[in-house]
Amino acid sequence: MPKPLWAPWRLEYIQTADEQEGCVFCNAVESDDDEAALVVHRGRHAIVLVNRFPYSSGHVMVAPSRHAAEFGELNDEEALELHRLADRGMGALSQIYEPQGYNLGWNLGRIAGAGVVDHVHLHVVPRWAGDTNFMPVLADVKVIPEHLAETRRRLAEAWPT
Ligand SMILES: [Zn+2]
């Protein structure tokens, strides 16, 4: 049996997500500052950004540029591009972090772990053997901001063309 991902800071995030201003994905789409918004790549119908509350190092999310709440609301172009961008994201992640595997997933609804419930997004989470052991170290709030900016920069540079 694989060990469940244990990321205690995620719980704190999910509990406070409703208090945050605006939609993190729409804010990123509208932002002209990729570094501040942690945007790795902008596609035609979707964007890729680094998760501020990661399950693991290199955790990115792919979201439609349009504020779509329902998984089934995605049109064909969006659905295709989300999958293709997830694949290219894995390409960039593999170059930089050399993970041994990935979890790709949709958290639909608060009970399923979604911090943002009204803008669907696909999680791309790199995995390494034993990663549940070191992940709590990443919860150090003093370390995370630098870590995320660096992750964004490296992924943007490694993005497959
Ligand atoms: Zn949105």
PDB file of all heavy atoms in Angstrom, residues 22-27 29 64-68 116 118-120, ligand 1:
ATOM      1  N   GLY A  22     -10.585  37.122  -3.897  1.00  0.00           N
ATOM      2  CA  GLY A  22     -10.616  36.744  -5.299  1.00  0.00           C
ATOM      3  C   GLY A  22     -10.263  35.295  -5.530  1.00  0.00           C
ATOM      4  O   GLY A  22     -10.131  34.515  -4.606  1.00  0.00           O
ATOM      5  N   CYS A  23     -10.107  34.955  -6.798  1.00  0.00           N
ATOM      6  CA  CYS A  23      -9.806  33.589  -7.203  1.00  0.00           C
ATOM      7  C   CYS A  23      -8.315  33.541  -7.560  1.00  0.00           C
ATOM      8  O   CYS A  23      -7.857  34.318  -8.395  1.00  0.00           O
ATOM      9  CB  CYS A  23     -10.673  33.214  -8.393  1.00  0.00           C
ATOM     10  SG  CYS A  23     -10.161  31.695  -9.207  1.00  0.00           S
ATOM     11  N   VAL A  24      -7.563  32.653  -6.941  1.00  0.00           N
ATOM     12  CA  VAL A  24      -6.123  32.594  -7.146  1.00  0.00           C
ATOM     13  C   VAL A  24      -5.780  32.331  -8.622  1.00  0.00           C
ATOM     14  O   VAL A  24      -4.789  32.856  -9.139  1.00  0.00           O
ATOM     15  CB  VAL A  24      -5.469  31.539  -6.217  1.00  0.00           C
ATOM     16  CG1 VAL A  24      -5.933  30.124  -6.557  1.00  0.00           C
ATOM     17  CG2 VAL A  24      -3.956  31.615  -6.282  1.00  0.00           C
ATOM     18  N   PHE A  25      -6.621  31.577  -9.298  1.00  0.00           N
ATOM     19  CA  PHE A  25      -6.350  31.251 -10.708  1.00  0.00           C
ATOM     20  C   PHE A  25      -6.674  32.444 -11.612  1.00  0.00           C
ATOM     21  O   PHE A  25      -5.895  32.791 -12.492  1.00  0.00           O
ATOM     22  CB  PHE A  25      -7.134  30.011 -11.123  1.00  0.00           C
ATOM     23  CG  PHE A  25      -6.754  28.808 -10.295  1.00  0.00           C
ATOM     24  CD1 PHE A  25      -7.575  28.341  -9.291  1.00  0.00           C
ATOM     25  CD2 PHE A  25      -5.542  28.161 -10.508  1.00  0.00           C
ATOM     26  CE1 PHE A  25      -7.209  27.254  -8.501  1.00  0.00           C
ATOM     27  CE2 PHE A  25      -5.161  27.080  -9.731  1.00  0.00           C
ATOM     28  CZ  PHE A  25      -5.994  26.628  -8.722  1.00  0.00           C
ATOM     29  N   CYS A  26      -7.838  33.064 -11.384  1.00  0.00           N
ATOM     30  CA  CYS A  26      -8.196  34.247 -12.173  1.00  0.00           C
ATOM     31  C   CYS A  26      -7.206  35.376 -11.903  1.00  0.00           C
ATOM     32  O   CYS A  26      -6.808  36.094 -12.824  1.00  0.00           O
ATOM     33  CB  CYS A  26      -9.619  34.683 -11.863  1.00  0.00           C
ATOM     34  SG  CYS A  26     -10.853  33.548 -12.532  1.00  0.00           S
ATOM     35  N   ASN A  27      -6.787  35.519 -10.644  1.00  0.00           N
ATOM     36  CA  ASN A  27      -5.783  36.542 -10.324  1.00  0.00           C
ATOM     37  C   ASN A  27      -4.494  36.285 -11.099  1.00  0.00           C
ATOM     38  O   ASN A  27      -3.866  37.222 -11.598  1.00  0.00           O
ATOM     39  CB  ASN A  27      -5.483  36.552  -8.815  1.00  0.00           C
ATOM     40  CG  ASN A  27      -6.645  37.102  -8.001  1.00  0.00           C
ATOM     41  OD1 ASN A  27      -7.571  37.696  -8.551  1.00  0.00           O
ATOM     42  ND2 ASN A  27      -6.595  36.895  -6.705  1.00  0.00           N
ATOM     43  N   VAL A  29      -4.208  34.590 -13.953  1.00  0.00           N
ATOM     44  CA  VAL A  29      -4.478  34.823 -15.377  1.00  0.00           C
ATOM     45  C   VAL A  29      -4.378  36.314 -15.688  1.00  0.00           C
ATOM     46  O   VAL A  29      -3.798  36.730 -16.687  1.00  0.00           O
ATOM     47  CB  VAL A  29      -5.881  34.291 -15.779  1.00  0.00           C
ATOM     48  CG1 VAL A  29      -6.291  34.780 -17.164  1.00  0.00           C
ATOM     49  CG2 VAL A  29      -5.903  32.762 -15.730  1.00  0.00           C
ATOM     50  N   PRO A  64      -7.840  26.003 -16.265  1.00  0.00           N
ATOM     51  CA  PRO A  64      -8.343  26.732 -17.422  1.00  0.00           C
ATOM     52  C   PRO A  64      -8.249  28.229 -17.156  1.00  0.00           C
ATOM     53  O   PRO A  64      -8.375  28.657 -16.001  1.00  0.00           O
ATOM     54  CB  PRO A  64      -9.808  26.281 -17.533  1.00  0.00           C
ATOM     55  CG  PRO A  64     -10.175  25.820 -16.148  1.00  0.00           C
ATOM     56  CD  PRO A  64      -8.916  25.269 -15.551  1.00  0.00           C
ATOM     57  N   SER A  65      -8.017  29.027 -18.189  1.00  0.00           N
ATOM     58  CA  SER A  65      -7.938  30.484 -18.015  1.00  0.00           C
ATOM     59  C   SER A  65      -9.302  31.057 -17.645  1.00  0.00           C
ATOM     60  O   SER A  65      -9.398  32.102 -17.018  1.00  0.00           O
ATOM     61  CB  SER A  65      -7.446  31.136 -19.309  1.00  0.00           C
ATOM     62  OG  SER A  65      -6.204  30.592 -19.685  1.00  0.00           O
ATOM     63  N   ARG A  66     -10.325  30.345 -18.033  1.00  0.00           N
ATOM     64  CA  ARG A  66     -11.704  30.753 -17.760  1.00  0.00           C
ATOM     65  C   ARG A  66     -12.109  30.281 -16.363  1.00  0.00           C
ATOM     66  O   ARG A  66     -11.722  29.195 -15.937  1.00  0.00           O
ATOM     67  CB  ARG A  66     -12.597  30.091 -18.809  1.00  0.00           C
ATOM     68  CG  ARG A  66     -14.025  30.476 -18.839  1.00  0.00           C
ATOM     69  CD  ARG A  66     -14.675  29.889 -20.102  1.00  0.00           C
ATOM     70  NE  ARG A  66     -14.630  28.419 -20.155  1.00  0.00           N
ATOM     71  CZ  ARG A  66     -15.590  27.624 -19.666  1.00  0.00           C
ATOM     72  NH1 ARG A  66     -16.643  28.147 -19.078  1.00  0.00           N
ATOM     73  NH2 ARG A  66     -15.494  26.299 -19.762  1.00  0.00           N
ATOM     74  N   HIS A  67     -12.883  31.093 -15.652  1.00  0.00           N
ATOM     75  CA  HIS A  67     -13.337  30.735 -14.310  1.00  0.00           C
ATOM     76  C   HIS A  67     -14.448  29.694 -14.414  1.00  0.00           C
ATOM     77  O   HIS A  67     -15.634  30.020 -14.517  1.00  0.00           O
ATOM     78  CB  HIS A  67     -13.842  31.991 -13.588  1.00  0.00           C
ATOM     79  CG  HIS A  67     -14.142  31.774 -12.143  1.00  0.00           C
ATOM     80  ND1 HIS A  67     -13.170  31.733 -11.173  1.00  0.00           N
ATOM     81  CD2 HIS A  67     -15.320  31.580 -11.488  1.00  0.00           C
ATOM     82  CE1 HIS A  67     -13.724  31.530  -9.984  1.00  0.00           C
ATOM     83  NE2 HIS A  67     -15.036  31.439 -10.155  1.00  0.00           N
ATOM     84  N   ALA A  68     -14.043  28.423 -14.451  1.00  0.00           N
ATOM     85  CA  ALA A  68     -15.007  27.341 -14.594  1.00  0.00           C
ATOM     86  C   ALA A  68     -15.054  26.535 -13.306  1.00  0.00           C
ATOM     87  O   ALA A  68     -14.031  26.104 -12.794  1.00  0.00           O
ATOM     88  CB  ALA A  68     -14.618  26.435 -15.758  1.00  0.00           C
ATOM     89  N   VAL A 116      -9.619  25.657  -3.472  1.00  0.00           N
ATOM     90  CA  VAL A 116     -10.426  26.534  -4.327  1.00  0.00           C
ATOM     91  C   VAL A 116     -11.459  25.639  -5.004  1.00  0.00           C
ATOM     92  O   VAL A 116     -11.113  24.739  -5.762  1.00  0.00           O
ATOM     93  CB  VAL A 116      -9.561  27.221  -5.405  1.00  0.00           C
ATOM     94  CG1 VAL A 116     -10.432  28.044  -6.343  1.00  0.00           C
ATOM     95  CG2 VAL A 116      -8.497  28.098  -4.751  1.00  0.00           C
ATOM     96  N   ASP A 118     -14.305  26.779  -6.755  1.00  0.00           N
ATOM     97  CA  ASP A 118     -15.093  27.327  -7.854  1.00  0.00           C
ATOM     98  C   ASP A 118     -14.279  27.594  -9.116  1.00  0.00           C
ATOM     99  O   ASP A 118     -14.742  28.297 -10.015  1.00  0.00           O
ATOM    100  CB  ASP A 118     -15.854  28.581  -7.400  1.00  0.00           C
ATOM    101  CG  ASP A 118     -14.924  29.643  -6.827  1.00  0.00           C
ATOM    102  OD1 ASP A 118     -13.704  29.356  -6.730  1.00  0.00           O
ATOM    103  OD2 ASP A 118     -15.400  30.730  -6.482  1.00  0.00           O
ATOM    104  N   HIS A 119     -13.062  27.051  -9.172  1.00  0.00           N
ATOM    105  CA  HIS A 119     -12.259  27.149 -10.398  1.00  0.00           C
ATOM    106  C   HIS A 119     -11.460  25.842 -10.491  1.00  0.00           C
ATOM    107  O   HIS A 119     -10.474  25.674  -9.780  1.00  0.00           O
ATOM    108  CB  HIS A 119     -11.346  28.381 -10.338  1.00  0.00           C
ATOM    109  CG  HIS A 119     -10.704  28.743 -11.645  1.00  0.00           C
ATOM    110  ND1 HIS A 119     -10.544  30.054 -12.066  1.00  0.00           N
ATOM    111  CD2 HIS A 119     -10.159  27.969 -12.625  1.00  0.00           C
ATOM    112  CE1 HIS A 119      -9.938  30.063 -13.255  1.00  0.00           C
ATOM    113  NE2 HIS A 119      -9.683  28.812 -13.604  1.00  0.00           N
ATOM    114  N   VAL A 120     -11.911  24.963 -11.343  1.00  0.00           N
ATOM    115  CA  VAL A 120     -11.307  23.616 -11.389  1.00  0.00           C
ATOM    116  C   VAL A 120      -9.839  23.686 -11.787  1.00  0.00           C
ATOM    117  O   VAL A 120      -9.422  24.568 -12.546  1.00  0.00           O
ATOM    118  CB  VAL A 120     -12.046  22.662 -12.364  1.00  0.00           C
ATOM    119  CG1 VAL A 120     -13.389  22.266 -11.801  1.00  0.00           C
ATOM    120  CG2 VAL A 120     -12.158  23.258 -13.752  1.00  0.00           C
TER     121      VAL A 120
HETATM  122 ZN    ZN B   1     -11.211  31.741 -11.216  1.00  0.00          ZN
END
